[in-house]
């Protein structure tokens, strides 16, 4: 029951966040047939080809897009933007997790919390695994007075 309530809340929050972000974005989730992709609303061209069961948590920070996708019941992360000075568009994280959340540090995108089979792990902003998915909980450590 708690998972259902949490899922409903997250879905509603993601929808509201998506609506807010669409107002500031050139890229929008777009359904073609029964698959989702991301289309540039100005050029009418696909930024990300429609091949996903669902696209959600459509976030835009500066010129980068950070949506999640669902494929065959698992979640992954898409990315459209600049990485190390080069344009990247596509799957940043493969669809093999039960859930994914973006991580921010001082308002800047910093990576992903990945959750699978009741275990958590962390991936950096390039999708590279930095903490294996084998922890029950992951806590952040805040720095105070530069120590």
């Amino acid at each position: 029951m708690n998972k259902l309530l949490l899922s409903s809340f997250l879905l509603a929050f993601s929808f509201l966040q998506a609506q807010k972000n669409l107002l500031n974005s050139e890229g929008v989730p777009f359904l073609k047939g029964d698959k989702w992709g991301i289309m540039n609303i100005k050029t009418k061209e696909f930024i990300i080809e429609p091949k996903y069961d669902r696209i959600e948590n459509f976030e835009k920070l500066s010129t980068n897009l950070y949506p999640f996708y669902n494929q065959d019941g698992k979640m992954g992360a898409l990315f459209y933007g600049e990485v190390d000075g080069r344009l990247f568009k596509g799957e940043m994280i493969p669809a093999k997790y039960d859930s994914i959340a973006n991580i921010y540090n001082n308002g800047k995108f910093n990576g992903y919390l990945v959750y699978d089979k009741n275990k958590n792990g962390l991936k950096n902003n390039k999708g590279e695994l930095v903490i294996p998915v084998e922890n029950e909980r992951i806590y952040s450590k805040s720095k105070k007075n530069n120590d």
Side-chain angles (χ1 to χ4, degrees), residues 100-143:
I100 297 178
N102 288 335
I103 300 170
Y104 298 93
N105 184 11
N106 295 323
K108 181 180 176 191
F109 175 72
N110 207 31
Y112 306 90
L113 174 67
V114 292
Y115 177 82
D116 193 43
K117 297 180 182 113
N118 297 321
K119 300 291 182 184
N120 294 291
L122 291 176
K123 291 194 172 230
N124 64 17
N125 61 357
K126 296 178 185 175
E128 301 163 334
L129 191 65
V130 291
I131 296 178
V133 184
E134 54 191 35
N135 304 282
E136 288 187 23
R137 291 188 179 155
I138 295 177
Y139 296 96
S140 67
K141 180 180 177 185
S142 62
K143 292 185 177 183

Side-chain angles (χ1 to χ4, degrees), residues 58-75:
F58 196 79
E59 292 193 29
K60 181 180 188 320
L61 296 174
S62 65
T63 59
N64 298 331
L65 299 173
Y66 299 92
F68 300 144
Y69 70 98
N70 185 293
Q71 195 68 31
D72 300 322
K74 291 291 190 172
M75 288 185 73

Side-chain angles (χ1 to χ4, degrees), residues 3-13:
K3 283 188 177 184
L4 180 61
L5 289 174
L6 179 59
S7 294
S8 297
F9 172 76
L10 291 174
L11 183 61
F13 179 77

